[in-house]
Amino acid sequence: MVLVVDDEVRILSALQRTLRREGYELLTAETVEQAFGILAERDVDVVMSDHKMPGMTGLQFLAQAAMQRPTARRMIITGWTEEIPEEELRRIGVCALITKPWEDWKLKATLRRALG
Amino acid sequence: MESARTGVPKELQRKDDGVLQNLNTALLVVDASARITSSNPPAEQILGESAAALADEPVSRWFAEGGGIELIARTLRDGERFRAVESFVTRRDGTRVPIGISWAPVVDSTGERCGAVATFQDLTGLKQLQSQVVQTEKMASIGQLAAGVAHEINNPMGFIHANLFQMAEYVTDLRRVWTGVDALRKAVGQGHAGEILDASQQLSTLIDEADVDFVLSDLSKAIRESQEGSERIRHIVQDLRDFSHHDTNERVLADVNQCLDSTASIVWPMMKHLVKLEKDYEVLPSVWGFPMQLKQVFMNLLVNAYQAIEEKVSESGGMGTIQLVTRAVEGGVSIHVTDSGNGIAGDVLDRIFDPFFTTKKVGAGTGLGLSTSYSIVKRHGGRFEVSSEEGGGATFGLFLPMGDEDEVVDPD
């Protein structure tokens, strides 16, 4: 089960479209509050988050998500071209960084790998 | 040339000792009735006249526009002094030369005011340099925006790109269904009931496999969303192109609300994740000025406000607020940009308009934003004020007079 968090609803819609036939359940959240709600109820395997979001960065969100679901794999998907420091990514245990616009096959492969 | 008239006080007579004639600064001397009694070659060059053609002429002939007359009158009448006032000379052929001019009264041996002396410089080169600096600073602020802009383009690019990929898959799915339709049509043409039945069953399978209902509705949705995304990108690019335009040197009537709002719409995408923007615009009279330069001032104020909030929020979390308030006030318009950022310390406040002064980290600012903004506001004959407390946000207010087409800008 994969949870995607992005304040851009069109991105969520495109991801649903892309991953429709990938054979796992895809949950989406437009806000971090929504995402925390989902994490509380569902046993999510992968959390993939946008970085630039209102009120909280993707890294901050993933750090908190890690406390709620420590076993879930964490990923960032971002259109932000500025580099996110490597050590930050390591510290929060982000296993993949996907840039927008993404390559379909790469995204699918990365998610498959994360889901083991 | 010596003034043809007799009775010109010797204080006003042309000095042929070579000093004034070889001075690099333009010099004009006028008598109490504002007629030229003496000039030197640089003055003659700027005015576009020979010494003979200038002698005894009313100086107002060249200084009638741009408020020059007012300065002369006040110097002769009240003995006022003016230093380095920006104005312009209008030559006989109508061309204008920007100048910086100083006026001082001339007093004769009895202590009576008997005329005035002006020194001035041609500012054409300086003006060009100034407009280059303004443009360079503007491009630098666009550079700082570039990362934000790239992000704003990458988001719609992201979903358009993904949608196109899926739409191509949908077309492949629908084409497969179409082969089934085609087979059924042929079977119907041949009229064998068994084959028709087979083809029809085949088609049903294909339709189910392809999930045609979903594909058709999602295809329209994907097209709609992608169209909206490309429209967004078109807007961003258009806004940027508008912003990077040059002003002409002529003043035009500027709609300050429009200048402010279109600038806010450029920077809004880069700040929307951290900032609530509150707009409170009043209907404003137009002001004479340079709209692109005003946009640049607003851009600087907005980017500063955003960065102040970013700094504060990175410590405390949450969101910040930027308020944009415009008002019609006596003689002009006022604009206030208030942010809830981390404010400006007292010792910094005194220096924020200094060129190259910056508190931003390397690469985040040129140190020219506010000093350029300050000179732009001055050029409009306006005023800049700032109030802030460390930790408590800041308000930048500016007043712009209605002005007129040829307004002289007094730098003091």
Side-chain angles (χ1 to χ4, degrees), chain B residues 284-334:
Chain B
L284 301 179
S286 299
V287 302
W288 282 101
F290 307 101
M292 291 314 302
Q293 295 187 13
L294 291 178
K295 286 183 186 182
Q296 190 177 354
V297 173
F298 299 147
M299 169 74 83
N300 281 320
L301 295 182
L302 283 161
V303 169
N304 285 349
Y306 164 67
Q307 287 173 334
I309 288 171
E310 195 179 30
E311 235 173 272
K312 180 159 187 173
V313 167
S314 72
E315 295 155 13
S316 64
M319 304 267 288
T321 312
I322 298 178
Q323 286 172 303
L324 304 177
V325 181
T326 66
R327 291 284 179 268
V329 293
E330 200 186 332
V333 303
S334 78

Side-chain angles (χ1 to χ4, degrees), chain A residues 8 13 17 52 54 79 100, chain B residues 155 163 218 225 232 270 273:
Chain A
E8 171 66 70
S13 165
R17 208 164 270 140
K52 250 193 144 190
K100 297 173 192 167
Chain B
N155 247 331
N163 287 345
D218 197 51
E225 292 177 6
R232 248 156 69 184
M270 76 176 264
H273 64 296

Side-chain angles (χ1 to χ4, degrees), chain B residues 28 30 59 68 71-72 75 80-82 101-105 116-118:
Chain B
L28 276 182
V30 300
V59 75
L71 303 181
I72 300 163
T75 307
E80 274 190 74
R81 286 167 179 271
F82 295 94
I101 191 164
S102 301
W103 280 102
V117 59

Side-chain angles (χ1 to χ4, degrees), chain B residues 67-84:
Chain B
I69 290 274
E70 166 87 9
L71 303 181
I72 300 163
R74 279 161 65 181
T75 307
L76 288 173
R77 190 183 59 222
D78 310 323
E80 274 190 74
R81 286 167 179 271
F82 295 94
R83 272 187 33 210

Side-chain angles (χ1 to χ4, degrees), chain B residues 47-66:
Chain B
L47 268 51
E49 305 283 352
S50 68
L54 287 174
D56 224 20
E57 289 293 325
V59 75
S60 58
R61 171 160 289 172
W62 294 274
F63 291 84
E65 294 176 289

Side-chain angles (χ1 to χ4, degrees), chain A residues 46-98:
Chain A
V46 175
V47 187
M48 182 163 74
S49 172
D50 183 22
H51 186 48
K52 250 193 144 190
M53 294 184 294
M56 197 183 275
T57 67
L59 281 181
Q60 287 168 336
F61 161 71
L62 287 179
Q64 289 194 32
M67 290 192 269
Q68 243 178 311
R69 292 279 170 198
T71 56
R73 310 297 301 270
R74 294 175 280 283
M75 294 184 189
I76 289 277
I77 180 163
T78 179
W80 193 234
T81 46
E82 234 170 73
E83 285 202 18
I84 303 171
E86 278 290 330
E87 67 266 27
E88 276 289 284
L89 294 175
R90 251 199 313 275
R91 195 174 60 78
I92 294 163
V94 176
C95 68
L97 186 102
I98 295 156

Side-chain angles (χ1 to χ4, degrees), chain B residues 174-349:
Chain B
L174 292 174
R175 183 163 288 148
R176 208 170 291 134
V177 174
W178 173 251
T179 60
V181 173
D182 209 33
L184 177 60
R185 194 180 59 176
K186 282 182 183 138
V188 169
Q190 283 161 4
H192 302 297
E195 279 171 28
I196 294 171
L197 198 61
D198 280 353
S200 157
Q201 272 162 0
Q202 185 80 27
L203 179 59
S204 298
T205 312
L206 286 170
I207 288 173
D208 288 346
E209 275 174 7
D211 202 353
V212 170
D213 284 342
F214 171 83
V215 165
L216 284 177
S217 78
D218 197 51
L219 185 57
S220 315
K221 192 162 163 254
I223 290 172
R224 216 167 39 242
E225 292 177 6
S226 303
Q227 281 170 333
E228 188 239 40
S230 75
E231 184 62 22
R232 248 156 69 184
I233 295 174
R234 196 179 68 83
H235 257 284
I236 294 167
V237 173
Q238 170 117 37
D239 283 349
L240 272 183
R241 199 173 44 203
D242 289 349
F243 183 76
S244 49
H245 270 313
H246 267 289
D247 267 319
T248 58
N249 283 325
E250 301 291 318
R251 282 166 194 273
V252 296
L253 275 172
D255 176 346
V256 171
N257 279 337
Q258 193 275 331
C259 290
L260 181 61
D261 205 58
S262 69
T263 309
S265 76
I266 298 177
V267 291
W268 170 240
M270 76 176 264
M271 54 176 64
K272 66 179 178 197
H273 64 296
L274 289 182
V275 174
K276 242 177 66 202
L277 197 58
E278 295 173 1
K279 300 175 185 178
D280 178 6
Y281 301 158
E282 205 172 87
V283 177
L284 301 179
S286 299
V287 302
W288 282 101
F290 307 101
M292 291 314 302
Q293 295 187 13
L294 291 178
K295 286 183 186 182
Q296 190 177 354
V297 173
F298 299 147
M299 169 74 83
N300 281 320
L301 295 182
L302 283 161
V303 169
N304 285 349
Y306 164 67
Q307 287 173 334
I309 288 171
E310 195 179 30
E311 235 173 272
K312 180 159 187 173
V313 167
S314 72
E315 295 155 13
S316 64
M319 304 267 288
T321 312
I322 298 178
Q323 286 172 303
L324 304 177
V325 181
T326 66
R327 291 284 179 268
V329 293
E330 200 186 332
V333 303
S334 78
I335 304 99
H336 285 88
V337 178
T338 303
D339 68 71
S340 64
N342 58 356
I344 307 165
D347 56 326
V348 172
L349 205 54

